[in-house]
Amino acid sequence: MSVKIALAGNPNCGKTTLFNALTGSNQFVGNWPGVTVEKKEGKLKGHKDVVIMDLPGIYSLSPYTLEEVVARNYLIGERPDAIINIVDGTNIERNLYLSTQIMELGIPVIMAINMMDLLEKSGEKIDIAKLGKDLGCEVVEISALKGTGIKKAAEKAVALAQSKKSAEVVHSFDKKVEDAIDAVKVMLGSQVPEEQKRFFAIKLLERDDKIVEQLNTVPDVSNEIKALEDAFDDDTESIITNERYVYISSVVADSCKKNGAKKLTTSDKIDRIVTNRWLALPIFAVVMFIVYYVSVSTVGDWATTWANDGVFGDGWHLFGIKSLFIPSVPSIVEGALNAVGCADWLSGLILDGIVAGVGAVLGFVPQMLVLFIFLAFLESCGYMARVAFIMDRIFRKFGLSGKSFIPMLIGTGCGVPGVMASRTIENDRDRKMTIMTTTFIPCGAKLPIIALIAGALFNGAWWVAPSAYFVGIAAIICSGIILKKTKMFAGEPAPFVMELPAYHMPTVSNVLRSMWERAWSFIKKAGTIILLSTIILWFLMNFGWVDGSFGMLEAEQLNDSILAAIGNVIAPIFAPLGWGDWKMAVAAVSGLIAKENVVGTFGILFGFAEVAEDGSEFWGQLANSLPAVAAYSFLVFNLLCAPCFAAMGAIKREMNNIKWFFFAIGYQCLLAYVVGLCIYQVGTLITAGTFGIGTVVAFVLIIGFIYLLFRPYKESNTLNVNVKSIAKAK
Ligand code: GDP
Ligand code: MG
């Protein structure tokens, strides 16, 4: 018989740290069905039949945030055999709010007071025997980070699960409230087991309409609610919240000894500087500059060059020693293919399609590893929480969370880790919005396109590159504002409640684990979706009709390829954007494999087998084939439209929902199209005085866009009790 134990607690109370310590590498990480909330399950070390579940961090069991819904549905629906309720000992009052609700579920609970190492330092004392007696459940002290007491906690939880002894609810609220609860308990009859009745009764009194789904017959409790509301002159939800805090205060007063005058901890001292009004942003800028500089420019650049030019390029020298030459992967594969006498088309597919395509993607891995180490470090030492806090005030204005900043910053290097970094955003709505907008920022692979357009059509004007970033940032801000006013993103604005955990030195294993989790999901993707798409595109580019017969083409015959045929069909779509030429359309499509491809494809289309990164060989030809406004529209379209397959794969994975994935990609393409069209139409009106149906459409679109941006919007004001209660606890 396997035993299921759930870890429940507030965000940042140390659940994941405890989970990692208890399960080691025995983990399974996935998502909760249909939502973007991460689900972590693992086996307790040394116990094959004990499954541990890391629930999302929540402040209450109200169904307001997605995390709360997920955690609550799991606890009510699946009923684990025991719950380890983790309580941040440095914040005990606020944490106990959730505890009082968890104990009502009628599931065996053991409370683990975490962060004991910090409590010991500050000299605070908790009388756990007394606390346990007051609360009606067993209490243990642990430090998840240091590993103290966790084994005992786990063993007690297992024993408790096997004994099936649930916590005894000892809290008693005001007499009137208790009477109402008792009355509702009676009405519930036998449809709910005795030990769960209190939970259901309270939820019914709180008018929690989601709880109704769990019941067969819903008792009418309106009389009880009305009586309470009249007696307390407040809504029942607030009344019960209040009762919980009254109860918690009494428990805490009884068993916790605060250490007289509160000393400033080292953490507080650091925060005084790091989150200081004036210093916060400059410090943050410096930190990010270092991270970015090291992971993208120096170490990362070196690693990527090594991977792209060495491992997947011309081979490399081990330790830089001349005699230790390691041939490149393509040449090894080529040798092997020749040795077995592989057919030409097949070796073409393997070499030019698979190895080149997947190799281009895998080439990013070393750089990503460097970046991920930094991020994991900043995250687990506690700095990321501060960053989110600092940026939140700014980002909130356009519907994003402070935590969205990190993904976007990373996105300037590569959209794939950028999108993946959005995982640190707990709130579902904020995360989706971030995933949708992160790739608007020009990534490293888009720079060659910018260089090409700037060089070929704008004489290398200085403003082209900055304008690309400006377009990206503007797209993010406008999208944020527009999307947040749509129904999909409406709903309770997620309050920014975030615990700032005490700074500490992260452990090497935690940093490496977090780095590897991210890198591995990227590598897996390269092996699946990217592999498939490169094969298809390779096929489309290399096969076609020459002189009436279908077959494989030479490199110069791209004009005859299936891709060209498709290009001809789709090119008219882009005519209103000023570049209805099939070559431009094909170049844009090839950008889907990797944005670097755009320049290379142009090269092939203009008859060059090899071109420089910025395609300087064919600047003249390109300049002759289209006006500058059209080229700029082409540039903007490529900046904003769907990213490369790798990034799309990341979007799909992080969205964890096919509808949202298509919505995100569709939105990006639509925005790119509309902006490109407006640029070209308005641009030609100004530069050449051309006026036509396209111009009218452009103006209609611009007006529509402005309307979407400025239309009135009522921020939902049902800011939930969640926030109120947290404010009270502070
Ligand atoms: P979760 O949000 O509940 O999963 O919390 P995490 O496990 O991510 O921990 C939040 C932060 O608290 C991290 O920075 C941890 O390193 C830190 N932390 C967790 N447990 C302890 C502990 O026992 N002592 C100290 N000092 N820090 C801890
Ligand atoms: Mg966690």
Side-chain angles (χ1 to χ4, degrees), residues 338-367:
N338 286 341
V340 298
C342 181
D344 267 358
W345 70 269
L346 186 60
S347 60
L349 167 65
I350 294 175
L351 281 172
D352 304 336
I354 299 174
V355 176
V358 176
V361 176
L362 287 183
F364 282 111
V365 168
Q367 180 175 356

PDB file of all heavy atoms in Angstrom, residues 338-367:
ATOM      1  N   ASN A 338      29.436   8.083 -45.241  1.00  0.00           N
ATOM      2  CA  ASN A 338      30.202   7.647 -46.418  1.00  0.00           C
ATOM      3  C   ASN A 338      30.656   6.211 -46.267  1.00  0.00           C
ATOM      4  O   ASN A 338      30.641   5.434 -47.215  1.00  0.00           O
ATOM      5  CB  ASN A 338      31.415   8.554 -46.623  1.00  0.00           C
ATOM      6  CG  ASN A 338      30.980   9.896 -47.179  1.00  0.00           C
ATOM      7  OD1 ASN A 338      29.883  10.018 -47.713  1.00  0.00           O
ATOM      8  ND2 ASN A 338      31.830  10.896 -47.030  1.00  0.00           N
ATOM      9  N   ALA A 339      31.066   5.897 -45.035  1.00  0.00           N
ATOM     10  CA  ALA A 339      31.585   4.555 -44.787  1.00  0.00           C
ATOM     11  C   ALA A 339      30.532   3.480 -45.069  1.00  0.00           C
ATOM     12  O   ALA A 339      30.842   2.429 -45.609  1.00  0.00           O
ATOM     13  CB  ALA A 339      32.080   4.444 -43.346  1.00  0.00           C
ATOM     14  N   VAL A 340      29.278   3.793 -44.679  1.00  0.00           N
ATOM     15  CA  VAL A 340      28.253   2.776 -44.922  1.00  0.00           C
ATOM     16  C   VAL A 340      27.623   2.920 -46.301  1.00  0.00           C
ATOM     17  O   VAL A 340      26.712   2.191 -46.655  1.00  0.00           O
ATOM     18  CB  VAL A 340      27.132   2.814 -43.845  1.00  0.00           C
ATOM     19  CG1 VAL A 340      27.699   2.511 -42.482  1.00  0.00           C
ATOM     20  CG2 VAL A 340      26.425   4.152 -43.865  1.00  0.00           C
ATOM     21  N   GLY A 341      28.088   3.917 -47.056  1.00  0.00           N
ATOM     22  CA  GLY A 341      27.586   4.087 -48.412  1.00  0.00           C
ATOM     23  C   GLY A 341      26.139   4.514 -48.457  1.00  0.00           C
ATOM     24  O   GLY A 341      25.315   3.954 -49.174  1.00  0.00           O
ATOM     25  N   CYS A 342      25.863   5.533 -47.669  1.00  0.00           N
ATOM     26  CA  CYS A 342      24.481   6.003 -47.560  1.00  0.00           C
ATOM     27  C   CYS A 342      24.053   6.751 -48.833  1.00  0.00           C
ATOM     28  O   CYS A 342      24.855   7.424 -49.467  1.00  0.00           O
ATOM     29  CB  CYS A 342      24.420   6.933 -46.347  1.00  0.00           C
ATOM     30  SG  CYS A 342      22.835   7.596 -46.028  1.00  0.00           S
ATOM     31  N   ALA A 343      22.793   6.630 -49.193  1.00  0.00           N
ATOM     32  CA  ALA A 343      22.275   7.320 -50.380  1.00  0.00           C
ATOM     33  C   ALA A 343      22.430   8.828 -50.212  1.00  0.00           C
ATOM     34  O   ALA A 343      22.358   9.347 -49.093  1.00  0.00           O
ATOM     35  CB  ALA A 343      20.813   6.957 -50.584  1.00  0.00           C
ATOM     36  N   ASP A 344      22.633   9.515 -51.354  1.00  0.00           N
ATOM     37  CA  ASP A 344      22.888  10.956 -51.319  1.00  0.00           C
ATOM     38  C   ASP A 344      21.794  11.747 -50.619  1.00  0.00           C
ATOM     39  O   ASP A 344      22.071  12.608 -49.796  1.00  0.00           O
ATOM     40  CB  ASP A 344      23.018  11.482 -52.751  1.00  0.00           C
ATOM     41  CG  ASP A 344      24.472  11.479 -53.164  1.00  0.00           C
ATOM     42  OD1 ASP A 344      25.314  11.104 -52.298  1.00  0.00           O
ATOM     43  OD2 ASP A 344      24.762  11.819 -54.323  1.00  0.00           O
ATOM     44  N   TRP A 345      20.567  11.419 -51.008  1.00  0.00           N
ATOM     45  CA  TRP A 345      19.486  12.218 -50.432  1.00  0.00           C
ATOM     46  C   TRP A 345      19.401  12.031 -48.928  1.00  0.00           C
ATOM     47  O   TRP A 345      19.187  12.960 -48.180  1.00  0.00           O
ATOM     48  CB  TRP A 345      18.155  11.870 -51.091  1.00  0.00           C
ATOM     49  CG  TRP A 345      17.645  10.498 -50.745  1.00  0.00           C
ATOM     50  CD1 TRP A 345      17.892   9.351 -51.423  1.00  0.00           C
ATOM     51  CD2 TRP A 345      16.844  10.154 -49.618  1.00  0.00           C
ATOM     52  NE1 TRP A 345      17.290   8.302 -50.798  1.00  0.00           N
ATOM     53  CE2 TRP A 345      16.630   8.759 -49.686  1.00  0.00           C
ATOM     54  CE3 TRP A 345      16.275  10.869 -48.556  1.00  0.00           C
ATOM     55  CZ2 TRP A 345      15.895   8.076 -48.743  1.00  0.00           C
ATOM     56  CZ3 TRP A 345      15.532  10.183 -47.622  1.00  0.00           C
ATOM     57  CH2 TRP A 345      15.339   8.800 -47.713  1.00  0.00           C
ATOM     58  N   LEU A 346      19.657  10.793 -48.478  1.00  0.00           N
ATOM     59  CA  LEU A 346      19.557  10.512 -47.048  1.00  0.00           C
ATOM     60  C   LEU A 346      20.675  11.212 -46.284  1.00  0.00           C
ATOM     61  O   LEU A 346      20.443  11.807 -45.232  1.00  0.00           O
ATOM     62  CB  LEU A 346      19.597   9.001 -46.800  1.00  0.00           C
ATOM     63  CG  LEU A 346      19.358   8.598 -45.342  1.00  0.00           C
ATOM     64  CD1 LEU A 346      17.987   9.074 -44.858  1.00  0.00           C
ATOM     65  CD2 LEU A 346      19.452   7.073 -45.179  1.00  0.00           C
ATOM     66  N   SER A 347      21.877  11.151 -46.837  1.00  0.00           N
ATOM     67  CA  SER A 347      22.948  11.827 -46.108  1.00  0.00           C
ATOM     68  C   SER A 347      22.728  13.339 -46.148  1.00  0.00           C
ATOM     69  O   SER A 347      23.087  14.052 -45.216  1.00  0.00           O
ATOM     70  CB  SER A 347      24.332  11.426 -46.638  1.00  0.00           C
ATOM     71  OG  SER A 347      24.446  11.757 -47.984  1.00  0.00           O
ATOM     72  N   GLY A 348      22.112  13.827 -47.247  1.00  0.00           N
ATOM     73  CA  GLY A 348      21.766  15.250 -47.283  1.00  0.00           C
ATOM     74  C   GLY A 348      20.792  15.599 -46.172  1.00  0.00           C
ATOM     75  O   GLY A 348      20.963  16.584 -45.447  1.00  0.00           O
ATOM     76  N   LEU A 349      19.798  14.742 -46.031  1.00  0.00           N
ATOM     77  CA  LEU A 349      18.804  14.995 -44.991  1.00  0.00           C
ATOM     78  C   LEU A 349      19.456  14.972 -43.614  1.00  0.00           C
ATOM     79  O   LEU A 349      19.265  15.862 -42.790  1.00  0.00           O
ATOM     80  CB  LEU A 349      17.708  13.927 -45.056  1.00  0.00           C
ATOM     81  CG  LEU A 349      16.765  13.878 -43.846  1.00  0.00           C
ATOM     82  CD1 LEU A 349      15.956  15.161 -43.754  1.00  0.00           C
ATOM     83  CD2 LEU A 349      15.831  12.689 -43.920  1.00  0.00           C
ATOM     84  N   ILE A 350      20.289  13.944 -43.393  1.00  0.00           N
ATOM     85  CA  ILE A 350      20.899  13.814 -42.075  1.00  0.00           C
ATOM     86  C   ILE A 350      21.859  14.966 -41.806  1.00  0.00           C
ATOM     87  O   ILE A 350      21.810  15.590 -40.743  1.00  0.00           O
ATOM     88  CB  ILE A 350      21.611  12.451 -41.946  1.00  0.00           C
ATOM     89  CG1 ILE A 350      20.565  11.329 -41.998  1.00  0.00           C
ATOM     90  CG2 ILE A 350      22.413  12.387 -40.652  1.00  0.00           C
ATOM     91  CD1 ILE A 350      21.155   9.943 -41.994  1.00  0.00           C
ATOM     92  N   LEU A 351      22.670  15.299 -42.812  1.00  0.00           N
ATOM     93  CA  LEU A 351      23.696  16.321 -42.571  1.00  0.00           C
ATOM     94  C   LEU A 351      23.133  17.738 -42.616  1.00  0.00           C
ATOM     95  O   LEU A 351      23.278  18.503 -41.673  1.00  0.00           O
ATOM     96  CB  LEU A 351      24.823  16.176 -43.588  1.00  0.00           C
ATOM     97  CG  LEU A 351      25.807  15.054 -43.281  1.00  0.00           C
ATOM     98  CD1 LEU A 351      26.760  14.878 -44.442  1.00  0.00           C
ATOM     99  CD2 LEU A 351      26.568  15.353 -41.999  1.00  0.00           C
ATOM    100  N   ASP A 352      22.506  18.084 -43.739  1.00  0.00           N
ATOM    101  CA  ASP A 352      22.042  19.465 -43.898  1.00  0.00           C
ATOM    102  C   ASP A 352      20.753  19.716 -43.137  1.00  0.00           C
ATOM    103  O   ASP A 352      20.468  20.838 -42.748  1.00  0.00           O
ATOM    104  CB  ASP A 352      21.793  19.773 -45.380  1.00  0.00           C
ATOM    105  CG  ASP A 352      23.038  19.515 -46.199  1.00  0.00           C
ATOM    106  OD1 ASP A 352      24.124  19.556 -45.596  1.00  0.00           O
ATOM    107  OD2 ASP A 352      22.913  19.252 -47.416  1.00  0.00           O
ATOM    108  N   GLY A 353      19.988  18.670 -42.984  1.00  0.00           N
ATOM    109  CA  GLY A 353      18.733  18.857 -42.275  1.00  0.00           C
ATOM    110  C   GLY A 353      18.912  18.657 -40.791  1.00  0.00           C
ATOM    111  O   GLY A 353      18.956  19.614 -40.021  1.00  0.00           O
ATOM    112  N   ILE A 354      19.082  17.422 -40.393  1.00  0.00           N
ATOM    113  CA  ILE A 354      19.039  17.104 -38.967  1.00  0.00           C
ATOM    114  C   ILE A 354      20.249  17.641 -38.205  1.00  0.00           C
ATOM    115  O   ILE A 354      20.107  18.402 -37.247  1.00  0.00           O
ATOM    116  CB  ILE A 354      18.915  15.582 -38.769  1.00  0.00           C
ATOM    117  CG1 ILE A 354      17.611  15.104 -39.418  1.00  0.00           C
ATOM    118  CG2 ILE A 354      18.953  15.244 -37.295  1.00  0.00           C
ATOM    119  CD1 ILE A 354      17.436  13.615 -39.416  1.00  0.00           C
ATOM    120  N   VAL A 355      21.436  17.258 -38.645  1.00  0.00           N
ATOM    121  CA  VAL A 355      22.618  17.666 -37.878  1.00  0.00           C
ATOM    122  C   VAL A 355      22.749  19.183 -37.858  1.00  0.00           C
ATOM    123  O   VAL A 355      22.984  19.798 -36.812  1.00  0.00           O
ATOM    124  CB  VAL A 355      23.896  16.996 -38.426  1.00  0.00           C
ATOM    125  CG1 VAL A 355      25.109  17.507 -37.691  1.00  0.00           C
ATOM    126  CG2 VAL A 355      23.795  15.493 -38.306  1.00  0.00           C
ATOM    127  N   ALA A 356      22.553  19.808 -39.021  1.00  0.00           N
ATOM    128  CA  ALA A 356      22.692  21.265 -39.062  1.00  0.00           C
ATOM    129  C   ALA A 356      21.593  21.944 -38.257  1.00  0.00           C
ATOM    130  O   ALA A 356      21.857  22.860 -37.473  1.00  0.00           O
ATOM    131  CB  ALA A 356      22.673  21.752 -40.506  1.00  0.00           C
ATOM    132  N   GLY A 357      20.374  21.476 -38.434  1.00  0.00           N
ATOM    133  CA  GLY A 357      19.251  22.130 -37.760  1.00  0.00           C
ATOM    134  C   GLY A 357      19.288  21.933 -36.257  1.00  0.00           C
ATOM    135  O   GLY A 357      19.277  22.893 -35.489  1.00  0.00           O
ATOM    136  N   VAL A 358      19.360  20.686 -35.842  1.00  0.00           N
ATOM    137  CA  VAL A 358      19.386  20.413 -34.405  1.00  0.00           C
ATOM    138  C   VAL A 358      20.681  20.936 -33.797  1.00  0.00           C
ATOM    139  O   VAL A 358      20.701  21.445 -32.680  1.00  0.00           O
ATOM    140  CB  VAL A 358      19.199  18.906 -34.143  1.00  0.00           C
ATOM    141  CG1 VAL A 358      19.311  18.609 -32.664  1.00  0.00           C
ATOM    142  CG2 VAL A 358      17.853  18.452 -34.660  1.00  0.00           C
ATOM    143  N   GLY A 359      21.769  20.843 -34.565  1.00  0.00           N
ATOM    144  CA  GLY A 359      23.048  21.353 -34.073  1.00  0.00           C
ATOM    145  C   GLY A 359      22.978  22.841 -33.789  1.00  0.00           C
ATOM    146  O   GLY A 359      23.486  23.314 -32.775  1.00  0.00           O
ATOM    147  N   ALA A 360      22.312  23.580 -34.701  1.00  0.00           N
ATOM    148  CA  ALA A 360      22.212  25.027 -34.490  1.00  0.00           C
ATOM    149  C   ALA A 360      21.511  25.313 -33.181  1.00  0.00           C
ATOM    150  O   ALA A 360      21.858  26.248 -32.462  1.00  0.00           O
ATOM    151  CB  ALA A 360      21.452  25.661 -35.646  1.00  0.00           C
ATOM    152  N   VAL A 361      20.542  24.493 -32.862  1.00  0.00           N
ATOM    153  CA  VAL A 361      19.798  24.707 -31.629  1.00  0.00           C
ATOM    154  C   VAL A 361      20.614  24.268 -30.420  1.00  0.00           C
ATOM    155  O   VAL A 361      20.717  24.977 -29.416  1.00  0.00           O
ATOM    156  CB  VAL A 361      18.462  23.940 -31.685  1.00  0.00           C
ATOM    157  CG1 VAL A 361      17.730  24.074 -30.387  1.00  0.00           C
ATOM    158  CG2 VAL A 361      17.627  24.466 -32.831  1.00  0.00           C
ATOM    159  N   LEU A 362      21.228  23.093 -30.545  1.00  0.00           N
ATOM    160  CA  LEU A 362      22.022  22.600 -29.413  1.00  0.00           C
ATOM    161  C   LEU A 362      23.223  23.501 -29.148  1.00  0.00           C
ATOM    162  O   LEU A 362      23.732  23.544 -28.043  1.00  0.00           O
ATOM    163  CB  LEU A 362      22.492  21.168 -29.678  1.00  0.00           C
ATOM    164  CG  LEU A 362      21.409  20.102 -29.585  1.00  0.00           C
ATOM    165  CD1 LEU A 362      22.007  18.731 -29.798  1.00  0.00           C
ATOM    166  CD2 LEU A 362      20.709  20.161 -28.238  1.00  0.00           C
ATOM    167  N   GLY A 363      23.659  24.203 -30.181  1.00  0.00           N
ATOM    168  CA  GLY A 363      24.786  25.117 -30.000  1.00  0.00           C
ATOM    169  C   GLY A 363      24.524  26.141 -28.917  1.00  0.00           C
ATOM    170  O   GLY A 363      25.452  26.692 -28.322  1.00  0.00           O
ATOM    171  N   PHE A 364      23.243  26.400 -28.640  1.00  0.00           N
ATOM    172  CA  PHE A 364      22.922  27.371 -27.598  1.00  0.00           C
ATOM    173  C   PHE A 364      23.057  26.792 -26.195  1.00  0.00           C
ATOM    174  O   PHE A 364      23.070  27.528 -25.224  1.00  0.00           O
ATOM    175  CB  PHE A 364      21.488  27.865 -27.769  1.00  0.00           C
ATOM    176  CG  PHE A 364      21.327  28.871 -28.853  1.00  0.00           C
ATOM    177  CD1 PHE A 364      20.647  28.571 -30.011  1.00  0.00           C
ATOM    178  CD2 PHE A 364      21.891  30.127 -28.706  1.00  0.00           C
ATOM    179  CE1 PHE A 364      20.509  29.506 -31.013  1.00  0.00           C
ATOM    180  CE2 PHE A 364      21.761  31.074 -29.706  1.00  0.00           C
ATOM    181  CZ  PHE A 364      21.071  30.761 -30.865  1.00  0.00           C
ATOM    182  N   VAL A 365      23.132  25.470 -26.105  1.00  0.00           N
ATOM    183  CA  VAL A 365      23.088  24.844 -24.782  1.00  0.00           C
ATOM    184  C   VAL A 365      24.193  25.330 -23.834  1.00  0.00           C
ATOM    185  O   VAL A 365      23.901  25.709 -22.703  1.00  0.00           O
ATOM    186  CB  VAL A 365      23.062  23.306 -24.890  1.00  0.00           C
ATOM    187  CG1 VAL A 365      23.304  22.646 -23.551  1.00  0.00           C
ATOM    188  CG2 VAL A 365      21.731  22.857 -25.456  1.00  0.00           C
ATOM    189  N   PRO A 366      25.457  25.361 -24.276  1.00  0.00           N
ATOM    190  CA  PRO A 366      26.491  25.795 -23.327  1.00  0.00           C
ATOM    191  C   PRO A 366      26.221  27.185 -22.774  1.00  0.00           C
ATOM    192  O   PRO A 366      26.330  27.422 -21.571  1.00  0.00           O
ATOM    193  CB  PRO A 366      27.765  25.796 -24.178  1.00  0.00           C
ATOM    194  CG  PRO A 366      27.485  24.901 -25.317  1.00  0.00           C
ATOM    195  CD  PRO A 366      26.017  24.992 -25.580  1.00  0.00           C
ATOM    196  N   GLN A 367      25.804  28.079 -23.667  1.00  0.00           N
ATOM    197  CA  GLN A 367      25.517  29.433 -23.222  1.00  0.00           C
ATOM    198  C   GLN A 367      24.360  29.442 -22.227  1.00  0.00           C
ATOM    199  O   GLN A 367      24.370  30.149 -21.224  1.00  0.00           O
ATOM    200  CB  GLN A 367      25.156  30.254 -24.452  1.00  0.00           C
ATOM    201  CG  GLN A 367      24.838  31.681 -24.135  1.00  0.00           C
ATOM    202  CD  GLN A 367      24.599  32.471 -25.416  1.00  0.00           C
ATOM    203  OE1 GLN A 367      24.735  31.977 -26.517  1.00  0.00           O
ATOM    204  NE2 GLN A 367      24.250  33.719 -25.247  1.00  0.00           N
TER     205      GLN A 367
END
